[in-house]
Amino acid sequence: MVDLKVYFHVIAKNKTESGGYLSKVRIQEQMKVLNDSFSETGITWSLANTTYTVNPEWFLYADYDIGVEKAMKSKLRQGGVADLNVYSVSFETSELSGFATFPWLYKARPLLDGVLLRYTVLPGGTRRSRGLGKTLVHEAGHWGGLLHTFEGGCDLDGDKVRDTPPTLETTDCNVDSDTCPQLRGKDPIYNYMSYSNDFCRTEFTLGQIHLLRSTLSRLRNIQF
């Protein structure tokens, strides 16, 4: 079992909840979801620090303007290659719920490493189908080296994991969904690395856990 540090950076337009100023209770609830979801992986997460920054430009445009994102992360990022930095912003200019950097990008762009998270997707958030906190679980999976279950579509080797059936992108919880019927298995709608809504995303496969641990060990110097 390894314990990884999380640095949570709240970026807000003003000091109201609707302006992105998340309460510490909401952040603690998100940390519980993160830990519950990774309980089978041998990874726990500890909140090392929480920062609050009122900056409307960062809040609105960090996901759109790389200069804004770079300025924000250069100022706020803490820790090293093995530490997860999370930045809650508005994603005003896109439909994204979150965005993560992959571990193989760290060496070239260490200051950009981390997760951007829409502030409305924490537990109790107002983002449709994304209000249970599973978005950070999904993005932390990317940060650890996991790809989408639908990577490559019906390509057998799409996400580099053998026990996730090939699938096209799906966003609902239809248990009968089978977008690659010519291949093995129905769509992995319960997988955290799918685009299913939060109500049905509940698992990582053994193959994903193996890939996650090996990638973290190799590229983030985390020893299990």
Side-chain angles (χ1 to χ4, degrees):
M1 185 73 70
V2 300
D3 187 62
L4 304 183
K5 294 178 181 178
V6 176
Y7 294 93
F8 207 107
H9 306 287
V10 177
I11 318 301
K13 178 169 57 176
N14 52 51
K15 289 189 176 182
T16 67
E17 187 171 347
S18 62
Y21 209 80
L22 298 170
S23 71
K24 292 186 176 179
V25 171
R26 294 278 303 283
I27 295 169
Q28 289 292 346
E29 290 173 345
Q30 176 65 83
M31 291 298 300
K32 184 178 187 308
V33 172
L34 189 63
N35 275 300
D36 288 348
S37 301
F38 276 81
S39 62
E40 301 297 320
T41 69
I43 297 169
T44 58
W45 306 86
S46 294
L47 186 62
N49 193 27
T50 304
T51 68
Y52 284 83
T53 304
V54 175
N55 188 315
E57 183 183 26
W58 291 359
F59 180 70
L60 294 172
Y61 301 119
D63 66 308
Y64 175 73
D65 187 319
I66 188 64
V68 172
E69 179 186 357
K70 186 176 181 180
M72 177 185 75
K73 290 181 173 179
S74 296
K75 180 73 172 179
L76 298 177
R77 194 181 190 286
Q78 299 179 46
V81 64
D83 303 312
L84 176 61
N85 281 255
V86 180
Y87 307 83
S88 62
V89 295
S90 73
F91 280 102
E92 188 79 14
T93 57
S94 76
E95 289 299 312
L96 289 174
S97 294
F99 175 80
T101 57
F102 290 104
W104 46 85
L105 299 177
Y106 181 85
K107 188 174 182 179
R109 300 186 298 176
L111 286 177
L112 293 180
D113 187 63
V115 169
L116 291 177
L117 192 69
R118 186 184 287 264
Y119 77 102
T120 57
V121 301
L122 277 76
T126 58
R127 179 74 167 171
R128 185 175 177 270
S129 77
R130 293 283 184 265
L132 299 180
K134 304 293 181 65
T135 298
L136 183 55
V137 178
H138 177 102
E139 300 303 338
H142 285 321
W143 181 84
L146 296 182
L147 303 176
H148 292 127
T149 52
F150 52 85
E151 196 81 22
C154 294
D155 182 345
L156 283 170
D157 196 35
D159 67 349
K160 313 301 180 185
V161 180
R162 290 188 177 184
D163 60 359
T164 56
T167 179
L168 301 179
E169 181 181 327
T170 57
T171 58
D172 58 25
C173 292
N174 179 5
V175 296
D176 295 318
S177 181
D178 189 4
T179 54
C180 298
Q182 73 276 26
L183 300 173
R184 59 178 171 79
K186 292 184 179 180
D187 296 341
I189 62 167
Y190 299 110
N191 200 284
Y192 287 122
M193 302 312 296
S194 74
Y195 268 1
S196 301
N197 70 49
D198 276 9
F199 298 102
C200 56
R201 290 196 287 186
T202 59
E203 66 182 20
F204 292 112
T205 67
L206 290 176
Q208 286 176 315
I209 292 171
H210 175 76
L211 178 59
L212 177 71
R213 289 164 64 107
S214 63
T215 305
L216 287 172
S217 178
R218 182 167 51 90
L219 296 178
R220 292 199 183 274
N221 302 323
I222 296 167
Q223 301 307 312
F224 290 87

